[in-house]
Amino acid sequence: MPNFLLNAQSVILCPHGAPVIHVPVTFTTYRVHGYPPLLLTDNYIISGCPAMAHGAGGCNSVQWVNPSPTMFVRGIPVLTNATSGICITATGVPSGPAMIANFQPIVQEPTDLKMVDQ
């Protein structure tokens, strides 16, 4: 099954249901189905994690692993629906996997290396 590129319209949640907010740090004019791609080095902030209210040190950010090995924008790997993310508390403790709840199933990860410099 092909992997699909994630973009700014992708819905990502912490394991407790709070939304992950994509904060781009690299400017690019390249678009994935009309929206900026999610890049490995961007910031992914979690606000309003319900675990925080229960004193469990709620989710604060996401660290991603295994991005696309074939799609790079400005030298940075793009995230796909097969990419794994670990949610991290403000104190740096892993709190569970990020859940990719919705993504665009149109633009597939290329099979050959693709470098975009836009």
Side-chain angles (χ1 to χ4, degrees):
M1 180 173 169
N3 295 326
F4 295 96
L5 302 180
L6 298 183
N7 66 17
Q9 291 294 296
S10 301
V11 177
I12 304 168
L13 305 171
C14 84
H16 309 103
V20 174
I21 301 163
H22 170 232
V23 181
V25 296
T26 302
F27 176 76
T28 178
T29 57
Y30 179 74
R31 297 294 181 254
V32 174
H33 198 59
Y35 295 94
L38 300 190
L39 303 177
L40 180 64
T41 57
D42 288 345
N43 291 320
Y44 298 90
I45 308 301
I46 300 168
S47 180
C49 177
M52 184 81 71
H54 301 295
C59 303
N60 188 57
S61 63
V62 179
Q63 291 180 352
W64 296 98
V65 294
N66 70 318
S68 174
T70 58
M71 180 69 188
F72 294 79
V73 173
R74 295 192 167 241
I76 303 165
V78 175
L79 303 183
T80 72
N81 64 304
T83 302
S84 299
I86 304 297
C87 295
I88 306 293
T89 67
T91 58
V93 177
S95 58
M99 300 179 293
I100 300 170
N102 194 10
F103 58 91
Q104 62 79 30
I106 297 169
V107 182
Q108 294 182 7
E109 178 181 35
T111 55
D112 295 327
L113 184 62
K114 181 174 181 182
M115 303 287 277
V116 176
D117 254 353
Q118 298 176 345

